[in-house]
Amino acid sequence: MRAQVVVGISTMTIAVLLGGCDKGAQATRPAAALPTPRAGLWRESLLRDGHELGLIGELRACLDADARARLSTLGDEAGKSMCHDDAVTRDADGGYHFSSACDLGPGGHVVTRGELTGDLSSRYRVYSRTDTTGAALASMNGHHVIDVEANYLGPCPAGMTAGEVVIANGMKVNMDHLRAVAETLTGGG
């Protein structure tokens, strides 16, 4: 189950950023102006503290407007129930800076600061720094850097539906399943 949660970190990063932090974003810029990743197949590479994440490695995510909406809803729900001090600002280069503090129950208290750059049409990068305390899993505690690089590959291939993620070992995970895992871990439902 831990692998499924980590897969969700990468793909849901954009959702939480652009969905869960909308309240802060509205103060600096209308929510409608925030970018969303282009529909289609995205290759994402995720590093934690400069290292690949074992079984996760590189992943491929098939997104469409409906999958993005489901992710954004998850971000909205997480933001409302667990996060506070959300802030999103846009700089002159078009990049976004974000920060939040979230109480994730057994996942600990997580303070995140980061940047989102790229056009979200052909590529994007999310670089975030997190400080976690009080997590039940000791390795989650401490200062960590998450670096996500994503590139658009084209339309989703036959046999892969919107909302599915395939990790490096070939395991396919559906984002709706990730939602259920997240709700279980956070006591939502």
Side-chain angles (χ1 to χ4, degrees):
M1 182 174 339
R2 183 170 178 226
Q4 292 169 337
V5 173
V6 174
V7 169
I9 291 171
S10 176
T11 304
M12 292 190 298
T13 298
I14 297 299
V16 172
L17 268 176
L18 303 181
C21 294
D22 262 354
K23 292 183 290 286
Q26 290 172 353
T28 59
R29 186 177 169 110
L34 291 170
T36 58
R38 176 181 183 179
L41 185 64
W42 286 86
R43 178 181 57 224
E44 298 179 347
S45 299
L46 180 93
L47 299 176
R48 181 174 184 248
D49 299 331
H51 303 285
E52 289 185 3
L53 291 173
L55 294 175
I56 304 301
E58 183 177 278
L59 60 89
R60 294 173 189 265
C62 180
L63 298 175
D64 69 358
D66 186 52
R68 289 192 314 257
R70 289 191 317 264
L71 284 172
S72 183
T73 300
L74 177 59
D76 286 342
E77 291 168 3
K80 288 176 187 170
S81 64
M82 298 180 297
C83 300
H84 54 90
D85 298 332
D86 293 339
V88 176
T89 59
R90 188 163 189 191
D91 62 28
D93 301 4
Y96 291 84
H97 297 269
F98 57 91
S99 62
S100 68
C102 300
D103 292 309
L104 304 179
H109 179 76
V110 181
V111 176
T112 303
R113 295 164 306 287
E115 299 86 35
L116 165 68
T117 57
D119 61 14
L120 281 91
S121 177
S122 62
R123 64 169 205 79
Y124 65 86
R125 178 177 185 225
V126 178
Y127 179 82
S128 63
R129 295 160 310 283
T130 63
D131 291 293
T132 303
T133 57
L137 183 59
S139 64
M140 298 299 290
N141 290 313
H143 180 79
H144 300 286
V145 175
I146 305 286
D147 198 4
V148 178
E149 293 273 349
N151 294 291
Y152 179 75
L153 299 177
C156 296
M160 188 174 190
T161 60
E164 290 182 332
V165 176
V166 177
I167 63 175
N169 70 358
M171 183 173 81
K172 190 181 286 187
V173 180
N174 186 286
M175 289 182 205
D176 289 328
H177 180 72
L178 291 174
R179 173 190 289 263
V181 170
E183 288 174 350
T184 299
L185 291 174
T186 62

